[in-house]
Amino acid sequence: MDVAVQAALILFIGVAFLLIIGAPISISVGVASALAMFTLLEMDNGALTSAQRMFTGMNSFTLLAIPFFILAGVIMNNGGIAIRLVNCAKVLSGRLPGSLAHTNVVANMLFGSISGSGVAAAAAVGGTMTPLQEKDGYDKHFSAAVNIASAPAGMLIPPSNTLIVYSLISGGTSISALFMAGYIPGILWGLSCMIVAFLYARKMGYKSEARVTFKQALLVFLDAIPSLLLIVIVIGGIIGGVFTATEGSAIAVVYSLLLSFVYRTIKVKDLPRILLESTKTTSIVIFLIGVSSVMSWVMSFTNIPGIIADLLLGFTDNMIVILLIMNIVLLIVGTFMDPTPAVLIFTPIFLPIALSFGIDPVHFGIIVVFNLSIGTITPPVGPVLFVGTKIANLRIENVIRPLMPFFIATIVVLMFITYIPELSMKLPELFDLVTPK
């Protein structure tokens, strides 16, 4: 058997076997990649090349944005920002039937867009909104489903760590363009959740909030402005070319920390705990990127992406069908794999095929992240699903049924995003971040 074929089999069988026996994804990828490397090269050269690839994969200035955005998210999750965003969302959506459900959706979009994390949004906003909805007589399973379904919208609305990872692995796709491309898909995700919530609220007879006066609304907005300014400062600065995404992430940390001190929700003694929490999350992500760099080298050496491309193109040369197959694969992968490792593993495989059909890498990046964001709310691994049910003190199996309409709605939006490129590309083109086709 050819050495390259042996290495490819060791890589995929090794990853699958280690995942089945319960090994962490990073360990599974790292061990299988190292064994495949030793098959291709001698032990000494394989170890040296693996170490070099890991270092090269992690040695990126752009990659520094991830630990800073993670730290900013943890600070905001502890800094009293969620309640101010919830109050702002309540004013924006309070006149709709089932207003608290809509408030949950809007608050998740706002908080997710600031923290860049669906899990953080589900925990912070869900912890605030769940008791309020229960007090108002909302079905607790429906309330949990609303919170879970809407939380991943923040993974598309910038800043998004997953988009940063995609930028790195795709060969340097513009982060500014990816950030702008995520706005409309992220907003459409939230709107689809609001449509489902509206229909359910009408059916169940849930009421809207009492009308607030202009003065009350103004006070709420003024209270939320310092938190919302973070989006304007960071994203505006990145898009405007004032600073890079990495520099913007550092500014986000400083701003959110100062804001939390002003709100007096974080004390100096809390900083070691916050730093430790963010360091744990960062170490997982960065280590994954390092071992995935080894895996990418092995796949490139054995021409795995080319083989898969030939198989797909041998099956059909219809772009619509190819994109549908990619979506199905990514949706399935998302059910058992977190977005970061999935982006690292499948982008090198699928991106060359997409480029061969003339699909812009920015548009394709949004398709990939949208698919994998849906995976965060699906069993058996979905992290947002687990956090959302834990916050609501419910069992996962009891939330799946009310979650299904939201799942279907996001799939519909995914189809629009996939086959209408303008939904992703219009804003980047408007800001001259990509060249119009």
Side-chain angles (χ1 to χ4, degrees):
M1 185 184 294
D2 185 75
V3 175
V5 175
Q6 290 181 19
L9 289 174
I10 289 171
L11 180 64
F12 286 109
I13 294 174
V15 170
F17 173 74
L18 290 168
L19 287 175
I20 288 170
I21 66 174
I25 291 176
S26 55
I27 301 299
S28 303
V29 171
V31 171
S33 299
L35 291 175
M37 185 75 81
F38 296 153
T39 304
L40 293 169
L41 307 172
E42 295 179 357
M43 183 70 73
D44 290 347
N45 289 333
L48 179 61
T49 304
S50 296
Q52 287 175 337
R53 295 309 306 171
M54 284 189 68
F55 178 78
T56 302
M58 295 184 289
N59 184 28
S60 168
F61 179 74
T62 301
L63 204 55
L64 282 173
I66 292 178
F68 281 125
F69 276 130
I70 288 174
L71 177 56
V74 175
I75 291 171
M76 286 181 279
N77 209 17
N78 289 269
I81 292 174
I83 187 62
R84 289 168 173 80
L85 296 178
V86 166
N87 291 336
C88 179
K90 191 180 292 187
V91 171
L92 292 172
S93 58
R95 297 305 299 161
L96 295 170
S99 56
L100 290 181
H102 298 295
T103 297
N104 197 330
V105 175
V106 175
N108 268 335
M109 293 169 67
L110 291 173
F111 190 85
S113 69
I114 293 175
S115 68
S117 169
V119 172
V125 176
T128 302
M129 291 303 305
T130 299
L132 295 176
Q133 293 182 72
E134 191 172 345
K135 183 180 177 181
D136 247 30
Y138 285 62
D139 178 76
K140 58 184 179 180
H141 302 99
F142 166 72
S143 299
V146 170
N147 183 48
I148 292 165
S150 59
M155 295 173 62
L156 290 156
I157 303 173
S160 167
N161 291 331
T162 313
L163 288 175
I164 294 172
V165 173
Y166 172 83
S167 169
L168 184 73
I169 205 71
S170 64
T173 305
S174 168
I175 293 179
S176 299
L178 286 167
F179 277 5
M180 289 307 297
Y183 270 111
I184 293 177
I187 291 170
L188 288 176
W189 181 308
L191 288 175
S192 69
C193 292
M194 293 180 74
I195 291 171
V196 174
F198 175 83
L199 295 174
Y200 185 88
R202 285 286 296 269
K203 177 183 176 182
M204 300 302 293
Y206 293 153
K207 305 298 182 183
S208 60
E209 288 287 298
R211 186 182 297 276
V212 297
T213 65
F214 176 77
K215 182 179 179 180
Q216 290 173 323
L218 183 62
L219 290 174
V220 169
F221 281 123
L222 289 175
D223 191 40
I225 280 177
S227 302
L228 296 173
L229 271 178
L230 179 61
I231 305 174
V232 177
I233 293 171
V234 174
I235 304 304
I238 294 172
I239 301 304
V242 179
F243 41 73
T244 65
T246 304
E247 292 162 345
S249 65
I251 291 170
V253 170
V254 174
Y255 186 90
S256 57
L257 190 59
L258 290 175
L259 197 60
S260 298
F261 281 143
V262 170
Y263 289 154
R264 297 182 180 180
T265 48
I266 288 181
K267 299 178 181 178
V268 174
K269 67 178 182 181
D270 297 322
L271 293 181
R273 174 181 56 81
I274 290 172
L275 289 170
L276 181 61
E277 183 180 342
S278 60
T279 300
K280 288 179 179 177
T281 305
T282 299
S283 62
I284 294 170
V285 175
I286 300 301
F287 182 64
L288 262 172
I289 291 172
V291 296
S292 295
S293 298
V294 182
M295 187 179 192
S296 296
W297 189 93
V298 173
M299 288 196 299
S300 176
F301 190 91
T302 56
N303 195 33
I304 291 172
I307 293 170
I308 294 175
D310 290 341
L311 287 173
L312 276 177
L313 296 175
F315 173 73
T316 178
D317 59 357
N318 188 312
M319 184 181 72
I320 294 175
V321 177
I322 291 289
L323 285 174
L324 182 61
I325 293 172
M326 289 181 181
N327 278 331
I328 292 171
V329 171
L330 290 170
L331 284 171
I332 294 171
V333 166
T335 63
F336 62 86
M337 189 176 289
D338 284 341
T340 298
V343 167
L344 291 166
I345 293 169
F346 286 92
T347 297
I349 295 174
F350 285 156
L351 181 59
I353 302 172
L355 294 177
S356 70
F357 283 100
I359 299 170
D360 193 284
V362 173
H363 176 213
F364 187 70
I366 299 301
I367 294 173
V368 171
V369 174
F370 201 108
N371 272 287
L372 298 175
S373 296
I374 294 175
T376 65
I377 64 174
T378 56
V381 174
V384 175
L385 175 63
F386 275 90
V387 170
T389 51
K390 184 179 179 181
I391 291 294
N393 292 317
L394 296 171
R395 296 174 65 87
I396 291 176
E397 54 267 30
N398 295 331
V399 178
I400 296 301
R401 186 173 179 179
L403 192 59
M404 286 304 297
F406 295 98
F407 182 75
I408 293 169
T410 54
I411 294 292
V412 171
V413 175
L414 171 63
M415 293 298 103
F416 281 116
I417 298 302
T418 300
Y419 296 113
I420 307 177
E422 290 78 12
L423 293 175
S424 301
M425 301 304 297
K426 198 63 180 178
L427 287 181
E429 291 174 1
L430 190 64
F431 284 85
D432 292 325
L433 299 172
V434 295
T435 304
K437 291 186 178 182

